[in-house]
Amino acid sequence: MADVHAVSRVCDKLRRPLTTLAGAAGFRSLLARALTLAKQESPVLGAWEVKPDGSLKGLNGEAAQSGAVLIAHLLGLMITFIGESLTLRLLHDVWLDLPRSEIKPGRKESE
Amino acid sequence: MNEQSRVKINQLPTGVPGLDEILGGGLPEFSFNIIAGSPGCGKTTLAHQFIFANATVERPAIYFTVLGEPALKMLRYQQQFTFFDASKLNNAVRFVNLSQELVDRGLQGVLEEISRQVEAANPSIVVVDSFRTVLRSEMHNGKDMAVQTFVQQLALLLTSWEATTFLIGEYSESEVRDNPVFTVSDGLFWLFQQVDRNSVVRKMQVMKLRGQASVPGLHTFRITEAGLQAFSRTLGLLGQRKTARSIKRLSMGIPALDEMMGGGIPEGDSLLIAGSSGTGKSLMATQFLAAGIRAGEPGIAAVFEERPNEYTARASEFGLDLQTPLADGSLEVIYLRPLDLSVDEMMQEILDAVKRTGAKRLVIDSLAGFEMALAPAFRADFRESLYRMIFALTAIGITVLSTLEMPETFTELLFSSYSISFLTDDIIRMRYVEIDGELSQIMMVVKMRRGAHSREIRQYQITTEGIVIGARLKNYVDLITGIPQPLAVLHSEDLLLNRKI
């Protein structure tokens, strides 16, 4: 079960490679879109916001459990844009010991 | 400077089929290059092909994106190409976005970030896409250095760090003059998209390449799922024709015709068969190919008016088995009707088929069909292109037979509607004539560049055995007009006139 800090750490870890790839504005747009999608699924995330630098604010403990939904949507967006293979490659650069079978996106690439 | 003391410039493969040949062997290592052209002409794809062909984990490629196509979208589209190797991402091929540096600190910030990345990664290749947006940005106004200083420092940095560099930009040709970017660059590659009626053709030009001789002019290229493929104007076939002391003669598959041609067609010649519809041009071409197969000489038929199976089926109606050589690979039938073909692509198809089959004989049936298959933009240069193609093919010893449909007139004898007879070594003319109230067919060998030939006008018939050539028509005059006069009639008129006189 994700806590607020874990969600924040994951987003921060993803921010570096994604900012390198897509620029700060690119990463912020992606995270903002993921948060919008996550809020539709988990209204408890209503207070969460993406700051101009791409970090999260307004994280509250009650919504922490839904933080995983945000991460899932962020990864889902990456898969939508660049495909599962490249997304996994980026994630492996961040989490070197991540098993390849660990990522099971809910959204198909074609969606 | 002698050979030993001269620095050797390594050439890198571009990863684009045909382009190395155009560049004179490959891209000079450590060169500072610009890929220019309008949107959608293939600049980014060309750069990607190059980096995926050359980048390694030890000497990676850094692809800097600026205020152009978002990197995520670029990756989304570029991975559709077969050259895209996902396993190279983030190790051998790294993408870095510089938008923020440009917005925050202008050119100085961009230069510093590129320096930092290059010093950290030790790349062998650096791409800046789009470089134009870096220079065009007004964000750096008043903040830092001049464009010229920036370009020079960037070139100095990347050359010092032994990186082969590509700057990608949307430039127009009018901007070439007095532009510091073009002055500093070692290589300038311009990609064009030309629209002509309903077709679009892609062409590239190496406008500048320091250190080596490239093939001048505009070269056609195509973008497929494999990326760019370029077609050199010369296809590297500028060699001289083989000049064997004793010219080998190849049989046309029609003994009487071989006789008329002085023993057959000289190997490596280009022969034009001209005649109106139904005169048997295609059949003669098929008999020529079949004779080659029988003699152990593989062949290629480039057909534009019927499909390969139709072509072999029609041959079998005349007792010619082309299906077996087609199956065993000693015959290839190339069928192309894309309507936006270039002669260079056709040449590439033929050369590939020559490599596969070891072909000695080539039939182009017909030139009119070939011209129709070309994009309108290329039709204007058809004669010149045909000249290059025939010259290149005969130079490597291929004997080329082309058919040409001629409008039939009954007042004169045309040899070619394209004025291309000068392109061919030999010409055979087939036509209809009216004799004794019947439509008959005659043929003549009009021209044989490399030897004596018969001057006879011979009647012929198309039978189930193929073309059967008959005797010389001795008792007529004006045969070549199509409406001959019997000599007997003329004699009697003469006699009549003489009596009156």
Side-chain angles (χ1 to χ4, degrees), chain B residues 114-172:
Chain B
I114 290 177
S115 302
R116 200 178 66 77
Q117 294 281 352
V118 165
E119 288 173 22
N122 186 30
S124 63
I125 305 160
V126 170
V127 180
V128 183
D129 184 3
S130 144
F131 191 68
R132 184 64 195 268
T133 59
V134 174
L135 303 185
R136 200 182 260 164
S137 167
E138 292 177 1
M139 303 304 291
H140 58 79
N141 281 351
K143 286 185 182 174
D144 50 24
M145 62 181 67
V147 167
Q148 188 153 5
T149 312
F150 169 71
V151 173
Q152 282 172 339
Q153 289 195 8
L154 185 65
L156 189 67
L157 166 80
L158 296 173
T159 307
S160 305
W161 279 83
E162 297 177 298
T164 305
T165 304
F166 287 101
L167 309 180
I168 298 175
E170 289 169 5
Y171 291 96
S172 66

Side-chain angles (χ1 to χ4, degrees), chain A residues 20-21 80-82 89-90 93, chain B residues 71 76 79 86 90 96-97:
Chain A
T20 302
L21 180 67
T80 299
F81 287 122
I82 62 173
R89 184 155 288 281
L90 288 172
D93 287 344
Chain B
R76 177 178 171 79
Q79 66 179 277
N90 268 13
V96 176
N97 189 282

Side-chain angles (χ1 to χ4, degrees), chain B residues 211-429:
Chain B
Q212 65 192 48
S214 56
V215 181
L218 289 169
H219 309 277
T220 310
F221 72 97
R222 193 173 273 276
I223 301 179
T224 67
E225 61 177 10
L228 274 74
Q229 180 174 11
F231 305 95
S232 166
R233 287 181 72 239
T234 58
L235 287 155
L237 297 171
L238 284 173
Q240 292 294 310
R241 175 186 279 194
K242 289 176 188 169
T243 49
R245 278 190 185 167
S246 57
I247 299 164
K248 185 183 169 189
R249 299 269 178 167
L250 309 184
S251 172
M252 293 290 295
I254 305 167
L257 181 57
D258 289 341
E259 203 178 293
M260 289 171 74
M261 296 176 79
I265 178 172
E267 186 177 28
D269 264 18
S270 165
L271 166 66
L272 181 70
I273 311 287
S276 57
S277 178
T279 48
K281 301 180 299 297
S282 297
L283 177 57
M284 186 182 282
T286 309
Q287 288 188 261
F288 165 75
L289 274 182
I293 300 289
R294 285 196 298 275
E297 295 161 0
I300 300 166
V303 295
F304 299 89
E305 291 162 22
E306 54 190 343
R307 294 173 194 283
N309 55 347
E310 293 166 352
Y311 188 76
T312 54
R314 193 172 48 75
S316 68
E317 290 170 13
F318 296 96
L320 302 169
D321 175 22
L322 293 187
Q323 198 57 50
T324 306
L326 193 64
D328 70 24
S330 55
L331 172 71
E332 276 207 28
V333 180
I334 300 172
Y335 173 74
L336 289 167
R337 292 195 74 171
L339 301 177
D340 62 351
L341 191 70
S342 74
V343 173
D344 304 310
E345 285 176 272
M346 183 66 204
M347 268 289 288
Q348 191 63 57
E349 283 281 340
I350 291 170
L351 288 173
D352 290 347
V354 168
K355 280 183 194 157
R356 284 192 297 269
T357 61
K360 299 286 180 195
R361 300 182 180 215
L362 167 69
V363 161
I364 300 171
D365 191 12
S366 66
L367 292 181
F370 185 10
E371 187 185 21
M372 191 62 77
L374 297 177
F378 296 122
R379 290 181 203 158
D381 302 325
F382 186 56
R383 279 179 64 198
E384 182 212 314
S385 304
L386 206 57
Y387 172 75
R388 281 193 291 117
M389 187 173 116
I390 289 174
F391 186 83
L393 288 168
T394 53
I396 57 169
I398 308 281
T399 307
V400 183
L401 185 155
S402 313
T403 68
L404 178 63
E405 184 159 332
M406 300 288 301
E408 199 72 284
T409 73
F410 288 87
T411 52
E412 59 183 338
L413 182 73
L414 299 171
F415 293 136
S416 158
S417 53
Y418 291 105
S419 302
I420 54 169
S421 57
F422 73 95
L423 300 180
T424 61
D425 300 300
D426 317 312
I427 299 176
I428 293 173
R429 182 71 162 92

